Amino acid sequence: RTLLESGHFTRLMKKAKKIDCVHAHLHFMANADECYSGQTFLARRKVLFDVDDTLHCSGGQAFAGIDKRYPKHAVYPGFMALLTELHAGSTLSQMAALSARPSAMEDDLVKKFQRMKENNGLHAMPALLLGEFATGYTFITKGGDQGMKALAETKIKRVREYIRLYPEFRLVFLGDNG
C-alpha cells in the first residue's frame, strides 16, 4: 500500500507497463488502480473459515466437534464451491483456516489441505490460524464451559491478530456455533 501511494512509484509502474517490462510477479502493482480501487473483489476481502464442523464434519469425535450427520472428515457439500465463488474463481488465496489445533499440528493440517486441493476441489491453500498448547491443555484438564471458553478466546485472539495484519480488507467469516 505504501508503494502504491507513492506518486513516483505509480508513475514508474505506468511507464513500465506501457513498454511491457513489468515482471510477472509485479503485474498486480502495474494494475494498481484496478486492484486497489475497491472495485475488484479480491483486493478487499479475506475469507476466514473454521475447520471442524464447518469445512468438514468432525464425526462427533472428542475435541473436534459434535456433528455426526456425515462421516468423519467428510467435506460438507457445496463448501468448496462456496470458497471458489467467494474468490471469483481466482487461484490467489485470500483465505485463512481457523483451528484450535496447536501450531505443532500445522504439518498435519497442511497435508489435509493439500489432499483437499487434489481430491475435493479446494482452489488455493489457505493461511493457517492455529491454537496453542496451553489452550488445549486447559480444554482437556478443565473441560466444560471453561475449556470451551479457552478455545474460543484463542481463536478470537488469532482473528484479531489477522485483522491487524490486513486492516484494509473486509472479512467474510464462515463458521459453526462451537
Side-chain angles (χ1 to χ4, degrees), residues 2 38 56 66 77 81 84 89 110 117 128 130 144 148 177:
T2 303
H56 66 76
I66 62 169
T84 301
V110 167
K117 203 169 174 198
L128 300 177
L130 302 175
M148 291 302 287
N177 64 350

Side-chain angles (χ1 to χ4, degrees), residues 12 17-19 21 26 50 61 77 87 97 103 114 159 167 175:
L12 284 175
K17 186 178 176 184
K18 283 181 185 177
I19 59 172
C21 69
L26 293 176
D50 192 24
Q61 299 295 315
H87 282 87
S103 58
Q114 287 171 336
V159 170

Side-chain angles (χ1 to χ4, degrees), residues 22-96:
V22 178
H23 195 276
H25 73 277
L26 293 176
H27 275 285
F28 76 98
M29 294 182 104
N31 298 320
D33 295 335
E34 298 163 22
C35 290
Y36 289 89
S37 67
Q39 299 301 311
T40 302
F41 178 84
L42 290 174
R44 295 287 187 194
R45 239 172 249 157
K46 295 276 188 186
V47 178
L48 273 69
F49 59 90
D50 192 24
V51 176
D52 295 310
D53 287 351
T54 299
L55 167 65
H56 66 76
C57 184
S58 68
Q61 299 295 315
F63 311 122
I66 62 169
D67 192 0
K68 297 177 185 177
R69 295 174 299 159
Y70 291 94
K72 184 178 180 181
H73 300 300
V75 175
Y76 286 111
F79 195 82
M80 296 301 179
L82 175 61
L83 288 177
T84 301
E85 191 65 28
L86 288 171
H87 282 87
S90 173
T91 56
L92 175 67
S93 181
Q94 296 288 359
M95 59 185 173

